[in-house]
Amino acid sequence: MKKLINDPDDVVDEMLDGMTATYPDRLRRLPDTQVLVRDDGPVDDKVGIVTGGGSGHEPTHAGYIGNGMLDGAAAGDVFSSPTADEFEELIGACDAGGGVLAVIKNYEGDVMNFETAIELAEMEGVEVESVVVDDDVAVEDSLYTSGRRGVCGTILVHKAAGAKAAQGADLGEVKRVAEKVVDNVGTMGTALTSCVTPEKGEPTFDLGDDEIELGIGIHGEPGTERTETMPADKITEELTEAVLDDLDLDEGQEVLTIVNGMGATPQMELFVVNRRLQELLSECGLETYDAWVGDYMTSLDMAGASITVCAVDDELKELFDAPADTPALTTK
């Protein structure tokens, strides 16, 4: 294993300190926690938007803290959920009188610990709502989930909910637009290599030099098929077809797309994927309103990519276009 780390047991703690040292005017770490919040927050009477989960998916989660998106995020150990106590600290720190929306990716640890934290926060008088993101169309159940996994589509939930909250909407309206994104987004990914966790120091799963995994999860969970290496266009077709079959969109529908790198894929390759993705959408009679390409939700040093498609209407386009200023995503 070759990684720029010190002791594997300290990597998350040192990463969080490095983030606050990089963005001292944006991010603040709550004492004795692995929770980061907006340095200028909480904003009076605004709905707080919070999330969290295992580390190793950077820039998810804390990279999206800032105006127009998240108010705070809890970081667990690598690929492990934060504790309920950490989530409770997060919720309390981000409540400014307007209530808090928790955006939860559908992994059993995240769901269970967030639910416990919400109960505790409500006992303290905080109004909390939650949405569970399950945009991965590949599998219904995995090593970590009951039902579909929450993956890169979660970023769009952060964006829409954060924009709605910044407009001054109440908690019910913020939850409504978050659920609207969840209902209209699908994602599927592929792995060309396994990732290597700092604790284990070796590949999480075995993948031959001439093999790829379709439908892989962001923790290395099994996908739908292990197959021989294919050209980029063929991989893009497999992923896109699965997502579009799930969404079942009408001809003429506008969509936002994300080609997301899994951590070790050059942008050159992501743009090659996006080229074919946009051709396929056009062939299906769909219209791309916006296309994002880059690393939005990674899996440490895994080589691979995921494709996200989200159906949009005028309301969602306004929210996705609304200003946001975060370390990982800025819109004007």
Side-chain angles (χ1 to χ4, degrees):
M1 178 177 68
K2 294 181 180 179
K3 291 184 178 290
L4 290 172
I5 63 172
N6 298 304
D7 186 330
D9 292 337
D10 297 331
V11 65
V12 173
D13 185 63
E14 292 178 352
M15 173 190 71
L16 295 175
D17 283 346
M19 289 188 71
T20 57
T22 305
Y23 305 104
D25 297 329
R26 295 176 180 235
L27 302 176
R28 174 170 57 89
R29 185 173 179 178
L30 300 185
D32 302 318
T33 73
Q34 294 184 168
V35 175
L36 298 185
V37 297
R38 286 175 59 164
D39 187 62
D40 62 349
V43 179
D44 287 347
D45 297 323
K46 187 187 80 67
V47 174
I49 311 296
V50 302
T51 193
S55 297
H57 306 300
E58 290 72 33
T60 298
H61 303 80
Y64 301 107
I65 296 174
N67 182 49
M69 290 191 76
L70 300 176
D71 293 278
D77 292 336
V78 174
F79 294 174
S80 297
S81 173
T83 66
D85 288 344
E86 296 269 296
F87 280 138
E88 183 188 8
E89 290 276 350
L90 168 67
I91 292 169
C94 294
D95 175 44
V100 174
L101 178 72
V103 180
I104 309 170
K105 300 192 309 302
N106 189 34
Y107 296 98
E108 291 178 353
D110 292 352
V111 172
M112 178 180 65
N113 290 339
F114 243 131
E115 286 179 346
T116 299
I118 289 169
E119 291 177 2
L120 294 171
E122 289 176 337
M123 291 173 61
E124 297 296 322
V126 180
E127 185 180 6
V128 188
E129 294 284 356
S130 64
V131 294
V132 177
V133 186
D134 57 353
D135 58 308
D136 190 342
V137 307
V139 294
E140 284 297 323
D141 297 286
S142 74
L143 299 177
Y144 294 80
T145 65
S146 296
R148 303 192 336 178
R149 303 175 291 219
V151 286
C152 191
T154 309
I155 309 309
L156 299 179
V157 180
H158 296 163
K159 183 67 180 71
K164 196 69 175 178
Q167 292 174 358
D170 64 23
L171 183 57
E173 274 292 284
V174 173
K175 179 178 180 178
R176 179 187 64 79
V177 298
E179 290 181 329
K180 186 174 183 177
V181 177
V182 173
D183 292 341
N184 286 281
V185 68
T187 301
M188 185 164 167
T190 186
L192 311 183
T193 67
S194 172
C195 57
V196 177
T197 61
E199 297 88 348
K200 191 174 181 181
E202 58 187 37
T204 302
F205 57 92
D206 295 323
L207 195 60
D209 291 341
D210 60 347
E211 291 181 319
I212 63 171
E213 183 98 18
L214 296 175
I216 195 77
I218 56 173
H219 308 97
E221 307 99 317
T224 56
E225 180 184 5
R226 182 165 294 193
T227 183
E228 292 182 354
T229 302
M230 298 183 286
D233 282 3
K234 178 61 175 174
I235 294 173
T236 305
E237 290 159 11
E238 294 276 351
L239 300 182
T240 305
E241 180 179 345
V243 173
L244 295 183
D245 283 350
D246 183 82
L247 293 177
D248 191 23
L249 304 177
D250 294 332
E251 188 172 346
Q253 173 66 55
E254 290 186 280
V255 296
L256 182 152
T257 63
I258 304 176
V259 175
N260 170 63
M262 302 302 289
T265 305
Q267 285 207 351
M268 172 188 287
E269 297 173 24
L270 299 181
F271 284 122
V272 170
V273 171
N274 188 58
R275 161 194 154 274
R276 183 59 182 143
L277 169 61
Q278 300 307 324
E279 291 175 349
L280 292 169
L281 295 175
S282 180
E283 292 169 9
C284 293
L286 302 174
E287 299 180 12
T288 300
Y289 121 85
D290 201 4
W292 300 4
V293 177
D295 285 355
Y296 296 93
M297 181 178 288
T298 63
S299 183
L300 291 171
D301 54 351
M302 181 187 289
S306 64
I307 288 175
T308 298
V309 178
C310 182
V312 299
D313 58 9
D314 288 343
E315 179 182 41
L316 289 184
K317 287 192 291 184
E318 178 186 358
L319 296 173
F320 291 148
D321 288 341
D325 186 10
T326 76
L329 181 65
T330 299
T331 57
K332 300 295 185 181

